[in-house]
Amino acid sequence: MHDVDVVIVGAGAAGLSLARRLTAPGPDAGAGPRPSVALVDAPAGPLRPPPRTWCFWEEPGGEYDDVLAASWDRLRVTSPDGTAVTVRPAPLRYKMIRSAHFEERTGALLSRSGCLRYEAAVDRVRDLPGGGAEVRGRDGAGADFRLRARWAFDSRPPRRPRPARTTLLQHFRGWFVRTGRPRFDDGVADLMDFRTPQPGRGLSFGYVLPLGPREALVEYTEFSPSVLPTAAYERALRHYAEDVLDLGPFRVTATEQGVIPMTDARFPRRSGRSVFPIGAAGGATRPSTGYTFAAAQRHTQAVADALARGRTPLVPAPHPSRSRLMDAVLLRAVDTGRVDGAAFFTGLFRDVPAHRLLRFLDGGTHWWEDVLIGLRTPVRPMLRTALELPLLPRRTAGASAPAGREGHRPPDR
């Protein structure tokens, strides 16, 4: 016997989105009866991620427009010499959601839908011999927790990194700042500002999302093999805010910090007969950018559609195989230094139509569009890298990086 039809482990963007899609009335739930759903989140403490931001792009009128913190119709990339490229990706807009608002809105919907909510530190999600799956762990009081379901969806990051040819970390720290006088153009999001000291391996950039003329999220981001001490991020942010942006007097009202693995590892579509990974654990993070939120929405929608039709929810990978191959080439080229990351991303935004580039970064372009974009990149080093990839072994790196935001900008940041 199963306690519920579906159990979801983890109440981040992917877990909450899947729970909402399975329990909401209307097209998401299909024509048949809605399944019984349980959502298991970690108790308050180190296992629960801190508040964070999720960013993505889409046309106006999206399903989460009512909880957006802000959106922008212009995007800017700045080269190391200060030359700025500003583009309008119409009809797309760049959108930002703060996790607290998303959780509050989705939680209210779930409370009215009958979704069961539990808090437990989950130790194990496994198949049951007679069919279905079991979730086991301990609740906030330390008591044993056990829940059985027909299907289980697990958004916890893997305990160890998966074997990969290349793994970089996108690690960042951001300040929400309020300045003494207007310093921001709140119609423009700075996706990548390369006027930051570059690391010996990888790249770094500033990232600015204005929330008003005097408020913004200002962030320092690196793509590199290892994270920095918090004090190093603080120094980099201070330099960027004061010396590069020249913000003048300001105060920090909140902070965020995280790490997102950027890897060409293969992510399994299932981890048991009745157990399936979702979100970043299911490969929703785009390896070359760190964006996750939009792919997690597509993934969870596909799961909900499959279950509504009575099918096994073995859905396609969140990103097309062609996109994953191109990501693998780019990661290797940047990691080896064959491609200058700052010049690469600045050139793409300068030379490729903005709406096409964003669709490319979201895995939504046709093959011929990918070819056109590829011709705007350093062809020889990229081709050399592509030819060597099949010869490279996949190795397991050290302990997995702590989970960060489920979506960020490309170079994602």
Side-chain angles (χ1 to χ4, degrees):
M1 295 292 294
H2 300 136
D3 301 308
V4 290
D5 296 315
V6 173
V7 60
I8 301 166
V9 179
L16 287 169
S17 298
L18 180 56
R20 184 191 66 80
R21 295 184 192 284
L22 292 176
T23 58
D28 283 348
R34 287 176 288 172
S36 56
V37 178
L39 180 62
V40 184
D41 196 13
L47 293 179
R48 184 177 293 187
R52 55 228 186 267
T53 58
W54 298 316
C55 293
F56 57 103
W57 46 85
E58 66 176 4
E59 296 184 23
E63 63 179 324
Y64 299 118
D65 275 12
D66 60 331
V67 291
L68 294 179
S71 69
W72 303 269
D73 64 356
R74 286 174 290 157
L75 307 175
R76 183 163 55 207
V77 175
T78 304
S79 67
D81 66 4
T83 302
V85 178
T86 304
V87 299
R88 291 181 180 269
L92 303 176
R93 292 182 68 91
Y94 193 64
K95 301 181 177 184
M96 170 187 174
I97 293 177
R98 298 188 73 167
S99 62
H101 298 156
F102 183 86
E103 291 162 4
E104 181 180 4
R105 185 255 208 181
T106 307
L109 294 174
L110 293 179
S111 67
R112 295 195 296 268
S113 72
C115 177
L116 302 173
R117 301 290 299 267
Y118 298 96
E119 289 190 357
V122 173
D123 299 323
R124 189 176 185 185
V125 182
R126 68 181 183 97
D127 283 324
L128 289 171
E134 180 184 62
V135 173
R136 301 198 71 161
R138 292 188 175 275
D139 65 18
D144 287 339
F145 174 85
R146 180 184 180 192
L147 195 64
R148 294 165 297 179
R150 177 66 188 89
W151 306 106
F153 298 91
D154 191 356
S155 67
R156 296 173 304 155
R159 295 181 182 273
R160 290 182 55 81
R162 302 190 185 281
R165 293 166 297 200
T166 307
T167 297
L168 291 176
L169 300 177
Q170 180 173 159
H171 49 106
F172 52 87
R173 182 171 174 85
W175 289 341
F176 286 88
V177 303
R178 183 170 181 83
T179 59
R181 56 193 176 93
R183 297 298 300 162
F184 304 107
D185 180 348
D186 56 6
V188 182
D190 283 283
L191 291 189
M192 291 169 280
D193 184 346
F194 292 106
R195 293 176 295 171
T196 53
Q198 296 299 307
R201 182 177 170 189
L203 66 142
S204 74
F205 51 90
Y207 177 62
V208 182
L209 297 183
L211 303 175
R214 297 172 56 196
E215 295 181 89
L217 169 61
V218 177
E219 194 167 276
Y220 174 81
T221 299
E222 279 194 17
F223 293 178
S224 61
S226 57
V227 299
L228 304 176
T230 298
Y233 294 113
E234 290 283 300
R235 288 193 297 271
L237 272 168
R238 183 70 59 183
H239 165 75
Y240 182 61
E242 295 181 349
D243 300 333
V244 178
L245 298 181
D246 189 23
L247 294 184
F250 66 89
R251 62 185 177 92
V252 177
T253 60
T255 63
E256 69 172 21
Q257 185 167 332
V259 183
I260 302 172
M262 304 171 67
T263 174
D264 66 352
R266 298 188 181 104
F267 287 82
R269 296 167 63 194
R270 69 195 308 169
S271 47
R273 294 187 309 275
S274 300
V275 182
F276 302 85
I278 58 171
T285 300
R286 184 71 193 265
S288 62
T289 67
Y291 285 105
T292 307
F293 187 85
Q297 300 309 308
R298 295 193 298 270
H299 196 188
T300 54
Q301 181 64 67
V303 169
D305 289 344
L307 291 177
R309 289 167 173 76
R311 300 174 181 170
T312 299
L314 184 62
V315 300
H319 302 288
S321 57
R322 188 173 71 250
S323 298
R324 298 197 302 272
L325 174 59
M326 291 186 292
D327 286 348
V329 174
L330 176 59
L331 285 177
R332 175 71 177 174
V334 170
D335 191 36
T336 59
R338 292 174 192 153
V339 166
D340 181 310
F344 178 88
F345 287 109
T346 303
L348 282 183
F349 276 87
R350 182 187 61 238
D351 299 332
V352 178
H355 67 281
R356 176 180 294 170
L357 180 57
L358 292 188
R359 286 193 295 109
F360 169 75
L361 293 176
D362 221 16
T365 45
H366 300 288
W367 69 266
W368 58 269
E369 292 177 296
D370 294 345
V371 172
L372 292 176
I373 292 172
L375 293 175
R376 298 292 187 179
T377 68
V379 175
R380 292 183 66 179
M382 296 292 276
L383 180 59
R384 174 188 172 188
T385 303
L387 292 175
E388 79 173 5
L389 275 182
L391 306 177
L392 298 175
R394 293 181 181 270
R395 295 189 174 93
T396 301
S400 61
R405 272 179 295 192
E406 291 200 40
H408 199 57
R409 66 288 170 212
D412 155 3
R413 309 116 167 114

